[in-house]
Amino acid sequence: MTTPKITAAITAVGGFVPEDKLTNADLEKMVDTNDEWIRTRTGISERRILKGDGLGTSDMVAPAVLQLCEKRGIHPDEIDCLIVATVTPDMVFPATANLVCDKIGAKNAWSYDVSAACSGFLYALTQGTALIESGRYKKVVVCGADKMSAIIDYEDRATCIIFGDGAGAVLLEPNEEGYGVLDSILRSDGSGSQYLHMKAGGSKKPATIETIKAKEHFVFQEGKAVFKFAVKGMADVSAELLERNNLTGDDIDWLVPHQANLRIIDATAERIGLPKEKVMVNIHKYGNTTAGTIPLCLWEWKNKLNKGDHLVLAAFGGGFTWGATLVKWQY
Ligand code: UT7
């Protein structure tokens, strides 16, 4: 008798968005922009901002994970491993994941952060999947979260209109019936760093009075260049994922795209032949929450998903990093 293959099924989803909204009308008062430009060029109407002294990314991840535990009926101390994908950790070290575990009482988990910008959730999901498939771990929590408002220059109209704050998390558990993460293609190309990065604050250029005055601790993005790479990267990798699994758009129930720009989302959907009704889009409400976008979509759509649905999760972002993941929904 052969032992059935263990797959990593998503068995619960949690999410958190801060209450405070930053609308296009608010931004019109801050920089030279207008609601019509923002909506037609990006699809965004408002974003959520985490306000309050001393609050960081872990303060959004912790409630998302607690929600997920409650839904699944488990105590946080049952979690074996917790991974947080983020580019806005609470501190450079220790890892935000360590802080989250402390906040929620996940006393038996080992935990670490993944830095892969907008593709961070897919990178972390692939790692979490491997941990489950190995047979060694039974409950792995994968989170994607960013407090982008902490690294945005609200005088730079090229970036401040895009980003928002938010967190999402999924629980992975072993499955022997073929549900869960079925395949994943991940890519990276560091030569793309020139188009999307933060200039100072790392070991290459530590913080000084000069770096602060020069506004080098904020997101720098050459939007047009990133846009071109993103449209091609996200669509190509999604098409490749379908092809190597002998699937077409007709076999896919949902596209779960990174929410960077509605035009990039539309191009990816068109490339793999999915109509708009099968594409999760919430960019109008939350903007680009970097590693948070994909799990926040799953959180919002979870009640519309059916057991056996096939999902393609796709992302492109800083690094460059990009990828696509195929999931068969378990509940
Ligand atoms: O998630 C991480 C990965 N990031 C992405 O995937 C983002 C990819 N890039 C984008 O989404 C788009 O490039 C942006 C939304 C960032 C910008 O849109 P765009 O259509 O590429 O605009 P652009 O930068 O080419 O600018 C077009 C015009 C320029 O004016 P001129 O030179 O044509 O007179 C800009 O100065 O729009 C102007 N502009 C603005 N106008 C009003 C740029 N930003 C704004 C603004 N409001 N906020």
Side-chain angles (χ1 to χ4, degrees), residues 274-287:
L274 280 199
K276 281 194 178 4
E277 317 82 76
K278 290 184 168 189
V279 184
M280 297 187 191
V281 177
N282 58 15
I283 190 171
H284 51 290
K285 292 194 290 187
Y286 304 139

Side-chain angles (χ1 to χ4, degrees), residues 9-261:
I10 296 175
T11 55
V13 185
F16 178 87
V17 286
E19 271 178 26
D20 277 295
K21 292 177 183 173
L22 179 67
T23 65
N24 290 352
D26 296 329
L27 285 163
E28 282 178 1
K29 292 177 206 140
M30 296 157 69
V31 288
D32 180 15
T33 191
N34 59 79
D35 174 57
E36 208 257 329
W37 190 96
I38 301 173
R39 276 190 293 103
T40 51
R41 305 310 291 168
T42 70
I44 304 168
S45 296
E46 58 188 37
R47 322 103 196 100
R48 299 300 179 94
I49 304 292
L50 182 66
K51 290 189 179 162
D53 281 347
L55 295 182
T57 296
S58 71
D59 295 294
M60 299 189 291
V61 179
V65 178
L66 285 176
Q67 191 184 87
L68 162 164
C69 288
E70 201 186 317
K71 286 225 180 79
R72 186 72 183 114
I74 62 165
H75 189 276
D77 64 15
E78 292 176 56
I79 299 169
D80 297 315
C81 175
L82 185 142
I83 314 171
V84 175
T86 187
V87 289
T88 51
D90 285 25
M91 295 182 258
V92 172
F93 76 92
T96 298
N98 306 157
L99 305 173
V100 170
C101 286
D102 181 48
K103 282 182 180 167
I104 64 173
K107 295 196 185 314
N108 297 309
W110 58 288
S111 58
Y112 63 98
D113 288 359
V114 165
S115 173
C118 303
S119 312
F121 181 75
L122 296 191
Y123 273 50
L125 185 63
T126 303
Q127 289 188 329
T129 295
L131 294 175
I132 295 286
E133 286 176 350
S134 76
R136 248 177 105 164
Y137 301 100
K138 306 289 180 222
K139 287 185 173 50
V140 175
V141 174
V142 177
C143 317
D146 273 295
K147 183 189 170 189
M148 294 305 291
S149 61
I151 57 166
I152 292 300
D153 174 5
Y154 286 96
E155 291 180 350
D156 174 16
R157 71 174 185 174
T159 51
C160 73
I161 56 133
I162 301 170
F163 295 98
D165 304 339
V170 301
L171 175 65
L172 296 178
E173 293 186 83
N175 184 277
E176 293 187 351
E177 293 165 336
Y179 291 96
V181 178
L182 303 184
D183 195 11
S184 193
I185 301 176
L186 300 175
R187 298 264 149 76
S188 70
D189 177 1
S191 71
S193 63
Q194 60 186 301
Y195 304 112
L196 183 50
H197 58 259
M198 189 191 292
K199 294 192 185 303
S203 58
K204 184 178 159 183
K205 202 175 195 188
T208 61
I209 298 289
E210 283 70 35
T211 62
I212 291 170
K213 281 186 184 155
K215 297 188 159 199
E216 291 180 341
H217 297 272
F218 294 124
V219 170
F220 167 87
Q221 175 170 257
E222 275 185 40
K224 219 180 207 42
V226 178
F227 185 90
K228 278 188 203 147
F229 284 105
V231 166
K232 186 166 170 10
M234 217 160 106
D236 280 358
V237 79
S238 303
E240 190 184 338
L241 183 76
L242 291 195
E243 204 178 306
R244 91 171 182 190
N245 285 279
N246 297 316
L247 299 169
T248 68
D250 293 341
D251 303 306
I252 302 304
D253 300 285
W254 293 100
L255 173 65
V256 193
H258 170 51
Q259 313 278 309
N261 188 312

Side-chain angles (χ1 to χ4, degrees), residues 296-308:
L296 275 176
C297 280
L298 294 175
W299 174 60
E300 212 176 328
W301 265 263
K302 61 186 178 319
N303 294 336
K304 290 190 190 149
L305 299 176
N306 294 307
K307 188 168 183 167

